[in-house]
């Protein structure tokens, strides 16, 4: 039995758009899909989706349009010819971008009578619809309250503020943390590999448990300012970072892979100099 009667149109059937549409279909939502290049909707159509042949047609078929395209430029390009159909309607943008782009998009669509919620997907296609997935939303609270149950099948809905830029802001910041973690892991494995260590054993028995142990401390201690609290002992940390960089040099690991270490070392040295 359907508990939410909102008909949802998904614009964009890349890896993420297909995952979003699939999760909504699985939950019994009525879904219409559109993609710029044809041929990406077949599997979704077999699962019950309708395919629209134009953006305007897709928007007309739904009560709610959800956009998940490559970037802000592709969103603008796609929506511009369909502003008449969008007027008076509701749109959620789950395309990644910057806070400024989200604010400008909110202004542009608002000026054309569109109720708009900005989003940031904290999931990858295989985790969409799973317990771990969550989606950041920003914009009018009343709109979020109405749409959160409708979009619940794609992931836990999490509102981060009235400012439409905040979902993108938190999304980009969280991704920066993730890529920093990835850069650290890449560098660690490169070091072990270069010195003839057993990479698989290192990954499983050292890197993973170590990163798991340190993750809460790292996140809690992240400050972002140039100040480093005394308890972090920046002089000791600077020496530790210099050791890792020397070990990298000895192993012949390219310094390009160690940018995160240089950034931390710069911060620790500034903190020591400020004492
Ligand atoms: N994949 C992930 O792990 C992940 C995670 C979180 C957030 N996201 C975000 O989700 C969004 C979509 O990612 P994705 O993985 O689905 O990317 P993707 O597989 O590369 O798909 C890109 C989509 O954008 C469309 N597109 C590109 N340029 C266009 C244009 N000028 N006009 C109309 N459509 C255009 C493509 O259409 P065509 O098929 O016609 O080229 C396709 O539907 C991105 O903003 C991404 O950052 C992705």
């Amino acid at each position: 039995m359907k508990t939410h009667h909102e008909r949802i149109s998904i614009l964009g059937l890349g890896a993420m758009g297909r995952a979003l549409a699939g999760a909504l279909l699985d939950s019994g939502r009525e879904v219409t899909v559109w993609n710029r290049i044809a041929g990406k909707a077949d599997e979704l159509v077999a699962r019950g989706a309708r395919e629209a042949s134009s953006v305007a047609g897709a928007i007309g078929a739904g009560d709610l349009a959800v956009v998940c395209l490559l970037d802000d430029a592709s969103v603008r390009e796609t929506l511009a010819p369909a502003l008449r159909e969008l007027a008076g309607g509701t749109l959620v943008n789950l395309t990644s971008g910057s806070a400024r782009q989200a604010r400008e998009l909110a202004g542009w669509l608002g000026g054309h009578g569109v109720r708009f919620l900005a989003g940031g997907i904290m999931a990858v296609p295989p985790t969409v619809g799973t317990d771990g997935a969550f989606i950041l939303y920003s914009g009018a609270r009343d709109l979020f309250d109405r749409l959160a149950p409708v979009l619940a099948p794609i992931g836990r809905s999490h509102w981060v503020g009235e400012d439409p830029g905040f979902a993108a802001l938190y999304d980009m910041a969280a991704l920066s943390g993730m890529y920093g973690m990835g850069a650290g892991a890449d560098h660690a494995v490169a070091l072990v590999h270069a010195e003839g260590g057993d990479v698989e054993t290192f990954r499983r028995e050292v890197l993973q448990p170590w990163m798991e142990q340190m993750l809460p401390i790292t996140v809690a201690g992240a400050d972002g300012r140039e100040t480093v609290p005394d308890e972090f002992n920046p002089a000791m940390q600077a020496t530790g970072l210099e050791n890792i960089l020397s070990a990298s040099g000895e192993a012949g690991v390219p310094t390009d892979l160690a940018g995160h270490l240089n950034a931390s070392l710069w911060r620790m040295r500034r903190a020591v100099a400020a004492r």
Side-chain angles (χ1 to χ4, degrees), residues 224-246:
R225 290 172 292 187
E226 286 176 21
T227 52
V228 177
D230 278 343
E231 65 265 29
F232 278 75
N233 194 351
M236 177 278 287
Q237 303 246 19
T239 305
L241 285 157
E242 281 159 356
N243 285 340
I244 308 168
L245 286 163
S246 315

Side-chain angles (χ1 to χ4, degrees), residues 40-101:
K40 291 201 179 171
D42 297 351
E43 196 232 322
L44 294 164
V45 169
R47 291 164 65 186
R50 285 186 206 150
E51 184 176 12
S53 56
S54 67
V55 176
I59 289 165
D63 307 305
L64 167 65
V66 175
V67 181
C68 189
L69 299 170
L70 182 63
D71 57 9
D72 184 62
S74 58
V75 172
R76 295 279 189 145
E77 194 182 311
T78 299
L79 297 183
L83 286 171
R84 209 151 42 118
E85 287 75 17
L86 274 170
T90 306
L91 185 138
V92 174
N93 183 30
L94 297 181
T95 307
S96 305
S98 70
R100 181 171 158 188
Q101 286 171 339

Side-chain angles (χ1 to χ4, degrees), residues 166-260:
F166 271 23
L169 175 69
Y170 290 1
D171 182 10
M172 291 300 105
L175 287 182
S176 174
M178 179 197 77
Y179 280 111
M181 207 166 66
D186 281 344
H187 178 261
V189 168
L191 199 50
V192 170
H193 189 264
E195 292 278 18
D198 179 344
V199 167
E200 281 319 308
T201 305
F202 169 73
R203 259 192 239 273
R204 191 176 56 248
E205 295 177 12
V206 181
L207 187 60
Q208 172 130 356
W210 173 241
M211 287 182 87
E212 279 173 4
Q213 186 193 145
M214 294 311 293
L215 186 62
I217 300 169
T218 304
V219 172
D223 181 275
R225 290 172 292 187
E226 286 176 21
T227 52
V228 177
D230 278 343
E231 65 265 29
F232 278 75
N233 194 351
M236 177 278 287
Q237 303 246 19
T239 305
L241 285 157
E242 281 159 356
N243 285 340
I244 308 168
L245 286 163
S246 315
S248 288
E250 285 168 20
V253 172
T255 51
D256 285 0
L257 283 179
H260 59 296

Side-chain angles (χ1 to χ4, degrees), residues 110-199:
H112 287 89
V114 183
R115 290 220 74 196
F116 172 73
L117 212 52
I121 302 173
M122 306 312 293
V124 291
T127 64
V128 166
T130 65
D131 288 348
F134 63 105
I135 319 292
L136 305 173
Y137 295 101
S138 57
R141 178 74 208 209
D142 67 315
L143 186 58
F144 169 78
D145 288 339
R146 178 163 76 74
L147 297 183
V150 177
L151 294 173
I154 63 179
R156 188 163 34 89
S157 305
H158 188 74
W159 185 72
V160 291
E162 294 274 342
D163 180 336
F166 271 23
L169 175 69
Y170 290 1
D171 182 10
M172 291 300 105
L175 287 182
S176 174
M178 179 197 77
Y179 280 111
M181 207 166 66
D186 281 344
H187 178 261
V189 168
L191 199 50
V192 170
H193 189 264
E195 292 278 18
D198 179 344
V199 167

